[in-house]
């Protein structure tokens, strides 16, 4: 399984958490950092960022020469349009058995530091076209569908996200608050 996410020097998100969870399940991993961050993107101000585009491109080229067989992918935080494009091209050509995209770019009504609407329209929506499952939080689902009103119809919102996925794709929207409790809808 390809796991393409950011790696934060401080914080308990993304690759730092995904790797041990997947390894304990004995899933063979192909780990691909999409960016290196001084801290996670929320709660610590604007992090220092090292772009991994050159590494991503070179890694895909090397894997191709070595006939590395990837059958599934879990893709998270991407803060660079070129990296997003390289991932889309790889995923689109690879025809994997399972692709899960967590379009990490916003929460609580606003974008994470260093991210903006341009990344949503030019990268995230394109990546979702190859996804079997997507797991946006409520803010991300609103941005992806253009439904920024405070209380959208949640069933309709999930359907709108699913229209962005490959045919038959399913969405799970996280961070939905109902009756004082947070949960997910699908």
């Amino acid at each position: 399984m390809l796991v393409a996410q950011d790696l934060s020097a401080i914080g308990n998100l993304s690759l730092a958490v995904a790797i041990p969870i997947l390894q304990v399940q004995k899933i063979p991993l192909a780990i691909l950092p999409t960016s290196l961050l001084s801290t996670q993107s929320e709660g610590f101000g604007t992090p220092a960022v090292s772009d991994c585009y050159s590494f991503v491109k070179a890694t895909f080229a090397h894997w191709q020469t070595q006939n590395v067989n990837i059958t599934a992918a879990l893709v998270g935080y991407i803060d660079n349009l070129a990296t997003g494009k390289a991932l889309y091209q790889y995923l689109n050509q690879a025809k994997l058995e399972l692709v899960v995209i967590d379009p990490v770019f916003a929460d609580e009504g606003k974008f994470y530091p260093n991210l903006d609407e341009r990344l949503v329209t030019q990268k995230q929506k394109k990546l979702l076209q190859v996804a079997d499952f997507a797991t946006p939080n409520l803010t991300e689902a609103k941005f992806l569908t253009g439904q920024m009103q405070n209380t959208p119809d949640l069933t309709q919102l999930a359907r709108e996200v699913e229209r962005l996925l490959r045919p038959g794709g399913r969405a799970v929207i996280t961070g939905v608050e109902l009756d004082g409790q947070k949960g997910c809808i699908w």
Side-chain angles (χ1 to χ4, degrees):
M1 172 181 268
L2 168 64
V3 182
Q5 302 177 352
D6 62 299
L7 180 59
S8 299
I10 296 176
N12 293 318
L13 299 170
S14 303
L15 280 177
V17 176
I19 293 169
I21 289 171
L22 295 168
Q23 283 181 326
V24 88
Q25 296 178 55
K26 300 187 185 323
I27 297 172
L29 301 178
I31 300 165
L32 189 64
T34 57
S35 63
L36 302 175
L37 306 173
S38 59
T39 63
Q40 65 190 38
S41 59
E42 58 184 307
F44 293 95
T46 302
V49 177
S50 181
D51 173 30
C52 291
Y53 170 69
S54 296
F55 177 75
V56 167
K57 262 318 240 195
T59 298
F60 285 148
H62 182 232
W63 288 352
Q64 186 175 18
T65 66
Q66 298 304 303
N67 296 315
V68 173
N69 183 28
I70 306 290
T71 60
L74 172 61
V75 178
Y77 182 92
I78 302 166
D79 60 1
N80 179 289
L81 289 173
T83 301
K85 182 178 179 181
L87 273 163
Y88 170 79
Q89 290 171 340
Y90 177 82
L91 295 172
N92 192 45
Q93 291 173 346
K95 307 292 186 214
L96 305 178
E97 295 172 20
L98 174 66
V99 176
V100 179
I101 305 285
D102 182 6
V104 179
F105 61 85
D107 201 7
E108 297 181 6
K110 62 183 185 232
F111 288 98
Y112 292 141
N114 297 327
L115 303 180
D116 57 29
E117 181 70 30
R118 186 175 58 110
L119 282 165
V120 173
T121 58
Q122 295 181 24
K123 176 189 56 84
Q124 292 294 356
K125 287 184 178 180
K126 189 79 169 170
L127 273 172
L128 288 173
Q129 294 173 8
V130 296
D132 297 296
F133 293 92
T135 60
N137 65 35
L138 183 58
T139 295
E140 292 158 346
K142 288 178 176 183
F143 275 122
L144 287 166
T145 61
Q147 298 184 32
M148 290 308 298
Q149 64 268 25
N150 288 334
T151 54
D153 177 312
L154 295 175
T155 302
Q156 182 63 27
L157 184 63
R159 285 187 187 125
E160 290 296 319
V161 172
E162 288 177 350
R163 286 189 183 109
L164 300 171
L165 310 181
R166 75 170 50 165
R170 301 302 302 220
V172 176
I173 300 175
T174 65
V176 176
E177 191 167 336
L178 294 171
D179 300 325
Q181 296 184 22
K182 277 198 175 181
C184 303
I185 62 164
W186 62 90

